[in-house]
Amino acid sequence: MDIFSNTVALSRMQFAFTAIFHMLWPVLTTGMSIYLVIIEGLWLKTRDPDYYYHLRFWSKLFILNFGIGVATGLPLEFQFGTNWGPLSEAVGDFFGSVLGFEASMAFMLEAGFLGIMIFGWGRVAPPIHYLATIMVSFGANLSIFWILSANSWLQTPAGGEMVDGKFIVSDYFQAILNPFMVKSVAHMFLATLETSLFMIGGISAWYILKDRNTAFFSRSLKIVLATAIAVAPIQIYAGHLSAEHVAFYLPSKLAAMESKWESSPAGQPADWSLLAIPDEANNRNSWELTVPNGLGYILEFRKNLSEPVPGLNEWERQDRPKMVGLIYYSFRVMIAIGFFLAAVMLWNVLEWYRGNLAPDKISAQKWLMRLWMFSAPLGYIAIEAGWVVRCVGRQPWVLYDRIRTADGVSNVPPTNVLTSLIFFMVVYSILLVTTLYFASRIIGAGPKLNLPIPGDDGQFILRTEPAESVPDRRPVEAQQ
């Protein structure tokens, strides 16, 4: 099949490309907003100027990511009308409402308080500014809830039924709180936070290696470390819980994640595939390295399975996921990065316990700082890999077991989709280069340690006087 003349394939490629690119920015926005709340809270509690300077420095990167995230996220919404019209018509009563909630509740809340957070320094009292920062963070993370609720509903549709090709919602709360939602939201929330922490830590490590503001950035590294110590292992467990849900609700996806072709009966052990070369044409793995009896321990923490685990051969070809190799290795990349970041945390805890992360000693930890820099982008890779598993593994269904992907695509000429795909690739590439340029400028300039501290001796201005009255000079008929 020539994908360049296939509307379904091109529409999937376009949505995948724009989604993968867009996801890079809100990941840092949502996680870093929590970090900013922590920093500003420490500043208000201690009045240590260092915390204020940290707040101002990291806010610049936050604002940059927020702007690019908004610009790249809008095309995703429009594609549901341009490329996925039949899907939108079939599920719009619920799916459209949830996306509308995300825009009107989460995004508007975040955007509304962002102005105070950016421009409120010296204009509002510090506690009011802190409230704005909290609301920005709450709005950013509320987006995770609505987006994951909508996507989880595509995996486990609930709260209604299909009637004449359209999903009729009978219980919105049941649809919003669909079986896949809670653990998916927790998994993604922890992923964005962990990714942001390692990015902040990696940038801090770069400054320490360059011997620039060592004491300043050793503090940010310790704050990151104190938070990530808890986040990294909890994220691994949250991922395990999500995998359990996949096994129960989307067994064909689990079979693809494990490149498992033959079923394993209940009451018996089953090997776990560590590495394999899937051969979809012949319904098998042409090569495989397995861990004996490993699948039961991974799924249920015991040797024998309590429930059967079906293999891909249980489904007809047209009813099971394709691109098994992509799903299989994306899943393993995500797992490997999760355990690697947890190991990095363990090493840092040991060095902290030994006193080697003190400002006068941390510069000597060259390899540890390099490891932080290496780890900085890994969270992004893990999240992107996880979303590949999540969405590609759901195929061939766009609404699982209800609507096939091929039936949800708009009837538009493939040349139109190819043209828009090329346009997005060019524009998004320009945005990427531009963003990296400005981010490098911010990082290269470093923190400004001579800014006036708001709230000291009335340095903030609280305007209470009434505004000046300006006469209405319009024609009389215009005033009516």
Side-chain angles (χ1 to χ4, degrees):
M1 179 184 68
D2 182 7
I3 62 173
F4 296 109
S5 61
N6 186 283
T7 300
V8 177
L10 287 171
S11 293
R12 288 183 63 190
M13 288 175 60
Q14 178 172 295
F15 195 89
F17 174 78
T18 51
I20 286 172
F21 187 90
H22 165 69
M23 209 176 302
L24 295 171
W25 317 110
V27 163
L28 189 62
T29 302
T30 52
M32 186 179 281
S33 67
I34 297 175
Y35 177 80
L36 294 178
V37 169
I38 295 172
I39 292 295
E40 191 164 357
L42 290 171
W43 172 58
L44 288 175
K45 181 179 180 179
T46 65
R47 291 295 176 174
D48 186 337
D50 254 13
Y51 290 125
Y52 173 72
Y53 298 139
H54 273 288
L55 189 61
R56 296 300 297 269
F57 173 72
W58 296 110
S59 292
K60 295 178 182 178
L61 291 173
F62 173 87
I63 295 165
L64 177 63
N65 271 266
F66 177 85
I68 300 299
V70 172
T72 57
L74 291 174
L76 287 173
E77 304 276 356
F78 287 121
Q79 285 179 67
F80 287 111
T82 58
N83 297 69
W84 301 92
L87 170 66
S88 299
E89 185 176 0
V91 303
D93 285 355
F94 173 75
F95 199 75
S97 298
V98 173
L99 294 182
F101 293 156
E102 191 274 333
S104 59
M105 294 174 60
F107 176 71
M108 290 302 176
L109 179 66
E110 182 183 9
F113 282 93
L114 186 65
I116 300 175
M117 178 179 159
I118 298 173
F119 302 110
W121 297 111
R123 292 179 173 84
V124 299
I128 300 300
H129 189 278
Y130 187 44
L131 175 63
T133 305
I134 292 173
M135 297 309 291
V136 167
S137 179
F138 178 71
N141 286 276
L142 186 58
S143 289
I144 293 179
F145 171 81
W146 289 118
I147 295 299
L148 267 295
S149 176
N151 185 272
S152 297
W153 182 79
L154 295 177
Q155 317 273 339
T156 52
E161 59 182 352
M162 296 294 296
V163 178
D164 297 329
K166 187 173 183 177
F167 192 90
I168 304 300
V169 181
S170 58
D171 188 335
Y172 267 90
F173 287 103
Q174 185 182 6
I176 292 171
L177 302 174
N178 60 81
F180 215 47
M181 187 277 293
V182 174
K183 293 178 181 179
S184 295
V185 170
H187 192 33
M188 188 62 186
F189 168 77
L190 292 169
T192 60
L193 181 56
E194 185 175 23
T195 300
S196 301
L197 292 173
F198 273 90
M199 178 56 68
I200 294 169
I203 294 173
S204 300
W206 180 82
Y207 278 101
I208 293 170
L209 277 177
K210 295 290 184 180
D211 201 22
R212 290 180 55 187
N213 305 104
T214 301
F216 183 86
F217 284 102
S218 66
R219 174 171 284 187
S220 63
L221 188 63
K222 285 183 179 179
I223 295 171
V224 164
L225 178 57
T227 310
I229 286 172
V231 171
I234 294 175
Q235 170 67 327
I236 293 175
Y237 183 63
H240 170 74
L241 295 178
S242 292
E244 285 184 341
H245 260 47
V246 170
F248 186 80
Y249 291 104
L250 295 95
S252 61
K253 179 191 289 190
L254 179 71
M257 288 162 56
E258 299 298 341
S259 191
K260 184 175 179 58
W261 301 94
E262 301 299 332
S263 299
S264 297
Q268 297 184 16
D271 296 344
W272 177 65
S273 173
L274 179 63
L275 296 173
I277 301 177
D279 182 2
E280 293 187 56
N282 296 303
N283 299 326
R284 64 185 182 88
N285 294 325
S286 58
W287 174 85
E288 189 174 20
L289 177 63
T290 62
V291 177
N293 307 326
L295 187 60
Y297 288 109
I298 290 173
L299 290 178
E300 306 178 28
F301 299 110
R302 57 185 177 184
K303 181 178 179 180
N304 294 335
L305 298 167
S306 63
E307 298 291 337
V309 178
L312 287 167
N313 289 332
E314 294 290 330
W315 289 270
E316 298 292 333
R317 283 182 179 271
Q318 68 271 16
D319 295 331
R320 70 191 188 198
K322 294 181 173 59
M323 295 188 285
V324 174
L326 175 64
I327 300 168
Y328 177 84
Y329 279 102
S330 295
F331 182 57
R332 274 146 184 77
V333 165
M334 179 179 61
I335 293 174
I337 290 175
F339 279 98
F340 178 81
L341 295 182
V344 172
M345 283 299 95
L346 180 60
W347 185 6
N348 276 268
V349 169
L350 292 175
E351 295 299 334
W352 198 351
Y353 177 76
R354 293 168 180 168
N356 292 330
L357 299 186
D360 58 336
K361 294 182 179 180
I362 195 170
S363 296
Q365 307 300 314
K366 303 293 185 182
W367 281 107
L368 187 58
M369 296 303 104
R370 293 189 183 102
L371 186 60
W372 270 102
M373 293 175 61
F374 174 78
S375 302
L378 294 184
Y380 290 100
I381 298 173
I383 288 176
E384 300 287 12
W387 275 90
V388 168
V389 174
R390 188 177 182 88
C391 295
V392 179
R394 188 181 68 237
Q395 301 304 314
W397 308 98
V398 65
L399 181 64
Y400 190 74
D401 207 27
R402 302 290 200 283
I403 303 174
R404 290 183 177 273
T405 302
D407 297 329
V409 175
S410 300
N411 184 21
V412 294
T415 53
N416 292 12
V417 185
L418 180 60
T419 301
S420 60
L421 173 59
I422 295 172
F423 173 79
F424 279 125
M425 294 176 70
V426 171
V427 173
Y428 279 21
S429 297
I430 294 172
L431 285 175
L432 176 62
V433 172
T434 303
T435 305
L436 293 177
Y437 170 75
F438 282 109
S440 65
R441 290 280 301 271
I442 293 170
I443 296 171
K448 293 183 179 181
L449 304 179
N450 57 355
L451 294 172
I453 307 297
D456 288 354
D457 300 324
Q459 288 184 21
F460 69 89
I461 303 170
L462 185 61
R463 302 190 182 278
T464 59
E465 68 276 7
E468 179 184 356
S469 177
V470 179
D472 192 344
R473 295 187 174 86
R474 294 177 298 165
V476 176
E477 59 272 15
Q479 299 181 30
Q480 299 176 350

